[in-house]
Amino acid sequence: MFETLSKSLKTGIVTTGYPDTPAEVSQHARGKPQVDWAGWKDARPAAAVCPTAAIELRDESGVRTATLDLGKCIYCGLCADADPAIRMTHERALAACSRQNLRQTARYRLNADGTQQQLLAAPAAPDATPESLETVGRQLRERIQAVLGRSLHIREVDAGSCNGCEVEIHGLNSPVYDIERFGIHFVASPRHADMLLVTGPVTRNMELALRKTYDATPDPRLVVAVGACGCSGGLFGRNYATCGTVDAVIPVDLYIPGCPPHPLVILEGLLRLLGQLKERR
Amino acid sequence: MNRSDVSSELQPILDEVTGRFEGRIESWLAPRLNEVYFHARMELVSGFCAHLFRKWGGRLVSVFADDARAGAGVFHLYYVMALDAAHGFFILRVPVPPETPEFLSLTDAMPAVNWQEREIQDLFGLKLLNHPNPRRCALHDDWPEVYPLRKDFDLRTVLPPFQGVRHKFRTVEGEGVFQVPVGPVHAGIIEPGHFLFSVAGEPVLYLQLRMFYVHKGTEKLFESIPIPHGVRLAESISGDSSFAHATAFCHAVERAAGVEPPPRARALRTVCLELERLYNHIADVGAICTDVAFVTANMHAMRLKERILRVNEQLTGNRLLRGMACVGGVRFDFNANQLHDLRQLVNELEREFKDLIQLTSSNSGLLDRLEGTGVLTPKVARDLGVVGIAGRASGFDHDLRRDFPHAFYDQVQFTVPVFTDGDVQCRFDVRRDEVIQSFAILRQTMEKLPAGPLAVPVGEVPPDRVALGYVEGWRGEIFHWIHTAPGNRLARCKVKDPSLQNWPALCEAILGNIIPDFPVVNKSFNLSYSGTDR
Ligand code: SF4
């Protein structure tokens, strides 16, 4: 007993200062790929090496529509290896309330050889994403606070993940991220939950279980799709054994990209959804 | 008869086996010094495996099928025997004609292959003969009659939605016997699976498992993507073993291509494999403590795990070591600063881990709960072919790092802890000792870190080659077997995670224990659902 106490005292506080201090970012972390849209000469090599088709091209009558989908991206950096116009940043992709907000789309006029001649339309301003999330976050916060007060109970549902997302969600309960300090608890039953945190491309064998879990969760309920698989099917997509995405099965309020998402990204998404972040600032 | 070289250790076994089965082995060939293929008819399977087991201590580590109808006109079944003492693999290949899609079960003699045989039946539509329990395993009972791993089945086939037809569990009856169903959605942050306990009073009489809830067509998917994309898919077979699975996959491709990664790459692979082992073992030590209500220890363990995940990110850009593996070597080098961080991590962890173990060993409540709980006897473990941590806690003295040195393991010294009581405490102790060995491996690897390139270029892998890749992951032995196709693609990728082998052992270990002890027994195995179901 004495040893246990003394070890705890010696260890001191290990909890991250986030959100009062900004999230710490490693200088070696592989975050979002950043495309030099105006200088992009040929998107095809990057699209060919991308394992998830997060870089998608559609060529039609001399015009190419190129989309970078952060909901699909697994942040492997292979595109940046193949294409000088793409650079991997350390910045983590953040959660969004609609799938569309995770996509960046540009249009190009093409040369005869399939290279890009000229940028016709650049992606919408990147800061549009957090703004729209704030709005939805505000509405949700009002709803949550009206009904739930300040605490939030989460039921985690693995609907076919590789367990990578679970490793990081688990991390939220560690003393380092300590999610309980925000009044957020993981609970054992959907009947006690306000929110479902769902991972995986939803396997055919889990579809019914996910629906039943959703039905068992009292209204108003929130659904958060976690990870590339939950958001977009990731590497698996839709196949004979999967439904493809969480939102193919139940309605989703928030998409948290990453493979797996960093615990701070999950935390950030949840807090933004709760509107707490702003309040504390 | 094909001739080729085999290692000097395998040669006498090869001579004896070819002599003994003269006329019944149609041909053999050794694409690698430690990997020999025998072609024969189905009738030889049980005799061949039994002989290798009895005379040469062979272990049947993987059984799988390959739809070779397009090329060879038949399905092929493969039986992979590991000859640990001779450091080699003997692989028996037998044909199954499409007109009579049937094969003989070995389960009665070798219960270890039960699930693997049923998986072949489900995914290839080859009917099992003489199997004691030939019910569905990989595909749930409501699945239509489809055989996803046949070549004429399209990956993107849309099947009618799951109707929820209940699996017919065996009934357990008697006075005072009742059933406790759990899952598939569990109470904690864990993967889905269905457990049905039959209990009389407190003790568990019988446990039945229903797995494959997270089957996501992974093996089929491998057949539809170029080999380099396969590395990323391998990282997503079991997230907590991302690097081990990706490396086993790369190992298979490198062996098929006939290339060897450069020394520095092999050393960095060993570093990453040990980091993966460390974060998982330390997390499990903590989680076992939580399951018997010693939460403080788990808080320390989670703190250490987070520390390792951050160093993983420092070193490879990703906390789960994703993106690091590539065919031919590794993608990222470690500079002097990073190596300094790694050295510091090892020193710090060593100190902290000692404190953590000190905390656990001074807690008598912990000892009470772990000792004698969830016993898996060496005999049962052997029968079920249990591997990895759970195996070594029940007398199984095998570790691919020592017996089939891959990566940099032939350059470092370490011991393989083996215990024989087979209880939760032993599985705890295996982890504890392996963590300490990991520190030694990491230190030696950093000391000897060779200079030089990170990868050898591997061009397009020629079609129609077969190769077995292997890695001792933290959970146990991982095998990836590939059959290459034209255009740098795969005709087949068979993934064998140790979890598939070990799940049935959980059902044995829990017998006679009480349900409240199930979480800690389960945690002490800590098997991957996704690795099993794929
Ligand atoms: S980082 Fe990887 S997954 Fe993301 S766009 Fe680039 S290649 Fe595709």
Side-chain angles (χ1 to χ4, degrees):
Chain A
M1 190 63 204
F2 173 72
E3 263 175 331
T4 311
L5 275 176
S6 113
K7 179 70 190 162
S8 299
L9 286 174
K10 260 193 266 165
T11 305
I13 294 171
V14 297
T15 309
T16 161
Y18 180 85
D20 295 331
T21 57
E24 51 271 23
V25 177
S26 153
Q27 279 320 295
H28 293 277
R30 226 174 13 262
K32 278 193 280 193
Q34 194 178 58
V35 183
D36 169 12
W37 297 101
W40 211 5
K41 288 285 164 276
D42 190 353
R44 291 170 301 178
V49 296
C50 178
T52 59
I55 299 175
E56 210 177 21
L57 310 179
R58 227 186 39 243
D59 292 355
E60 234 169 336
S61 46
V63 173
R64 168 168 299 157
T65 311
T67 304
L68 170 63
D69 185 347
L70 296 178
K72 263 193 189 161
C73 183
I74 58 168
Y75 306 91
C76 64
L78 289 168
C79 54
D81 289 353
D83 187 334
I86 304 179
R87 190 174 68 82
M88 296 308 284
T89 66
H90 303 310
E91 204 186 318
R92 302 174 186 120
L94 297 182
C97 57
S98 90
R99 276 289 282 121
Q100 200 44 48
N101 286 344
L102 289 171
R103 293 194 186 101
Q104 303 168 0
T105 303
R107 283 189 306 122
Y108 294 90
R109 177 164 309 120
L110 290 181
N111 293 315
D113 62 358
T115 54
Q116 288 143 218
Q117 189 185 81
Q118 188 198 348
L119 179 65
L120 295 175
D127 56 1
T129 310
E131 201 36 59
S132 60
L133 183 62
E134 291 275 315
T135 325
V136 176
R138 211 169 303 132
Q139 293 162 359
L140 285 168
R141 176 190 48 185
E142 278 158 23
R143 221 170 85 194
I144 293 167
Q145 289 189 341
V147 185
L148 310 169
R150 277 185 64 111
S151 88
L152 175 72
H153 287 190
I154 302 180
R155 171 71 265 216
E156 202 265 349
V157 184
D158 176 339
S161 88
C162 68
N163 80 30
C165 288
E166 278 63 30
V167 171
E168 296 295 38
I169 294 172
H170 245 290
L172 293 172
N173 278 326
S174 81
V176 180
Y177 299 106
D178 188 18
I179 196 167
E180 301 233 342
R181 71 198 150 117
F182 303 105
I184 302 176
H185 309 282
F186 285 96
V187 293
S189 163
R191 299 204 190 277
H192 304 155
D194 311 308
M195 174 189 282
L196 299 180
L197 208 56
V198 189
T199 62
V202 190
T203 57
R204 182 175 184 274
N205 291 345
M206 278 305 289
E207 183 185 351
L208 186 70
L210 177 60
R211 278 188 207 282
K212 283 188 176 173
T213 308
Y214 180 74
D215 291 340
T217 311
D219 237 349
R221 61 202 153 189
L222 294 166
V223 177
V224 178
V226 180
C229 293
C231 293
S232 72
L235 285 158
F236 298 95
R238 174 159 197 162
N239 69 36
Y240 75 92
T242 64
C243 302
T245 55
V246 175
D247 64 11
V249 180
I250 54 176
V252 170
D253 301 282
L254 186 75
Y255 298 85
I256 303 184
C259 189
H262 191 285
L264 285 177
V265 173
I266 306 175
L267 196 52
E268 196 269 353
L270 298 185
L271 290 182
R272 205 134 41 96
L273 204 53
L274 288 176
Q276 281 196 3
L277 203 52
K278 210 154 187 196
E279 231 167 60
R280 289 172 66 113
R281 287 258 158 96
Chain B
M1 174 90 63
N2 289 295
R3 282 266 157 233
S4 30
D5 285 340
V6 303
S7 71
S8 57
E9 288 162 298
L10 283 182
Q11 191 65 53
I13 309 181
L14 178 63
D15 293 342
E16 194 269 341
V17 168
T18 45
R20 181 183 175 98
F21 296 106
E22 168 104 70
R24 282 180 285 168
I25 292 174
E26 287 155 15
S27 63
W28 65 268
L29 108 142
R32 254 83 45 198
L33 288 178
N34 71 349
E35 188 179 342
V36 188
Y37 288 80
F38 298 88
H39 301 166
R41 310 217 66 78
M42 177 125 38
E43 296 72 55
L44 192 66
V45 172
S46 66
F48 183 87
C49 295
H51 176 70
L52 281 177
F53 167 69
R54 274 193 222 107
K55 179 138 177 99
W56 300 103
R59 294 187 293 127
L60 187 49
V61 295
S62 188
V63 180
F64 53 87
D66 182 20
D67 181 354
R69 285 177 299 169
V74 289
F75 294 97
H76 282 140
L77 292 177
Y78 290 85
Y79 297 82
V80 182
M81 299 288 292
L83 301 161
D84 299 272
H87 316 300
F89 297 98
F90 276 9
I91 301 171
L92 179 63
R93 188 191 88 182
V94 301
V96 178
E99 314 80 69
T100 42
E102 300 171 342
F103 68 116
L104 290 167
S105 167
L106 297 182
T107 295
D108 262 337
M110 292 182 216
V113 297
N114 175 2
W115 285 19
Q116 298 183 66
E117 287 187 338
R118 285 159 68 189
E119 189 182 316
I120 295 172
Q121 170 168 268
D122 289 357
L123 299 177
F124 284 89
L126 307 182
K127 195 172 162 9
L128 260 172
L129 305 177
N130 302 336
H131 192 286
N133 178 21
R135 294 178 301 168
R136 278 193 171 180
C137 171
L139 300 184
H140 281 191
D141 299 72
D142 81 309
W143 279 61
E145 284 295 317
V146 291
Y147 309 118
L149 285 182
R150 286 193 178 188
K151 291 289 174 198
D152 44 19
F153 180 87
D154 181 22
L155 170 70
R156 306 284 169 196
T157 306
V158 178
L159 299 174
F162 185 84
Q163 291 304 320
V165 176
R166 283 282 181 83
H167 180 63
K168 301 269 181 304
F169 285 102
R170 287 200 172 115
T171 49
V172 178
E173 285 168 333
E175 205 184 308
V177 174
F178 59 97
Q179 316 257 335
V180 183
V182 178
V185 179
H186 293 306
I189 303 170
I190 33 173
E191 301 175 74
H194 189 91
F195 302 151
L196 183 67
F197 298 90
S198 303
V199 290
E202 294 221 292
V204 177
L205 290 179
Y206 196 52
L207 167 61
Q208 299 177 72
L209 303 178
R210 187 92 195 105
M211 303 299 294
F212 290 89
Y213 279 92
V214 294
H215 174 66
K216 37 194 173 283
T218 307
E219 288 182 6
K220 185 81 178 176
L221 203 49
F222 272 113
E223 298 170 14
S224 75
I225 56 180
I227 286 176
H229 290 187
V231 183
R232 307 279 82 85
L233 184 57
E235 287 176 337
S236 288
I237 290 166
S238 182
D240 53 21
S241 305
S242 295
F243 192 76
H245 266 289
T247 304
F249 178 79
C250 292
H251 192 216
V253 176
E254 288 152 7
R255 283 165 69 95
V259 300
E260 170 96 337
R264 191 173 179 87
R266 283 187 278 137
L268 296 186
R269 280 183 179 177
T270 288
V271 169
C272 293
L273 288 169
E274 293 309 313
L275 286 170
E276 196 160 79
R277 177 167 286 104
L278 278 176
Y279 88 73
N280 281 293
H281 276 12
I282 293 176
D284 283 354
V285 162
I288 289 173
C289 292
T290 289
D291 281 340
V292 293
F294 185 26
V295 180
T296 317
N298 189 33
M299 289 297 147
H300 288 295
M302 289 217 261
R303 171 171 68 80
L304 300 183
K305 173 184 173 185
E306 175 65 22
R307 178 81 175 82
I308 303 171
L309 295 184
R310 287 185 184 192
V311 171
N312 287 351
E313 190 178 49
Q314 283 288 106
L315 295 174
T316 67
N318 183 282
R319 288 159 55 91
L320 302 190
L321 304 163
R322 286 182 171 171
M324 177 65 168
C326 73
V327 175
V330 292
R331 279 177 68 209
F332 310 112
D333 205 354
F334 302 166
N335 64 26
N337 284 339
Q338 288 165 304
L339 287 170
H340 174 78
D341 286 352
L342 181 57
R343 249 178 235 116
Q344 241 183 356
L345 174 79
V346 174
N347 293 339
E348 187 186 319
L349 280 182
E350 191 163 44
R351 221 173 34 241
E352 290 271 9
F353 190 67
K354 219 163 94 203
D355 285 358
L356 176 61
I357 291 302
Q358 180 62 32
L359 284 188
T360 61
S361 50
S362 64
N363 186 315
S364 56
L366 191 74
L367 213 67
D368 276 352
R369 292 286 304 275
L370 304 190
E371 266 186 11
T373 305
V375 174
L376 179 71
T377 62
K379 158 127 191 28
V380 174
R382 229 179 4 255
D383 286 349
L384 294 177
V386 176
V387 297
I389 302 165
R392 290 190 284 276
S394 297
F396 170 85
D397 189 1
H398 296 293
D399 187 321
L400 296 184
R401 292 179 296 170
R402 181 193 65 197
D403 305 332
F404 294 84
H406 44 283
F408 202 61
Y409 290 112
D410 53 348
Q411 308 287 316
V412 293
Q413 310 230 308
F414 58 98
T415 56
V416 175
V418 178
F419 296 84
T420 49
D421 287 349
D423 55 4
V424 174
Q425 182 70 51
C426 286
R427 290 186 283 276
F428 183 95
D429 291 347
V430 167
R431 289 178 169 93
R432 178 198 61 207
D433 291 359
E434 287 187 357
V435 164
I436 291 161
Q437 292 301 317
S438 268
F439 296 146
I441 294 172
L442 281 170
R443 284 219 173 87
Q444 294 173 60
T445 310
M446 278 186 282
E447 233 162 69
K448 296 188 179 173
L449 192 66
L454 286 181
V456 286
V458 182
E460 211 176 288
V461 187
D464 222 23
R465 293 203 178 168
V466 289
L468 184 70
Y470 46 87
V471 159
E472 183 79 26
W474 64 271
R475 203 179 253 121
E477 53 193 38
I478 295 173
F479 295 103
H480 279 229
W481 180 88
I482 59 164
H483 177 183
T484 59
N488 212 24
R489 283 173 180 259
L490 297 175
R492 175 90 171 98
C493 178
K494 170 66 202 173
V495 177
K496 172 86 189 294
D497 186 272
S499 310
L500 180 83
Q501 196 63 54
N502 286 4
W503 274 113
L506 179 63
C507 301
E508 299 292 329
I510 194 64
L511 295 184
N513 288 257
I514 56 176
I515 289 188
D517 272 342
F518 181 73
V520 72
V521 175
N522 189 19
K523 195 29 118 179
S524 72
F525 281 85
N526 192 9
L527 303 175
S528 166
Y529 298 67
S530 183
T532 302
D533 306 353
R534 288 151 286 143

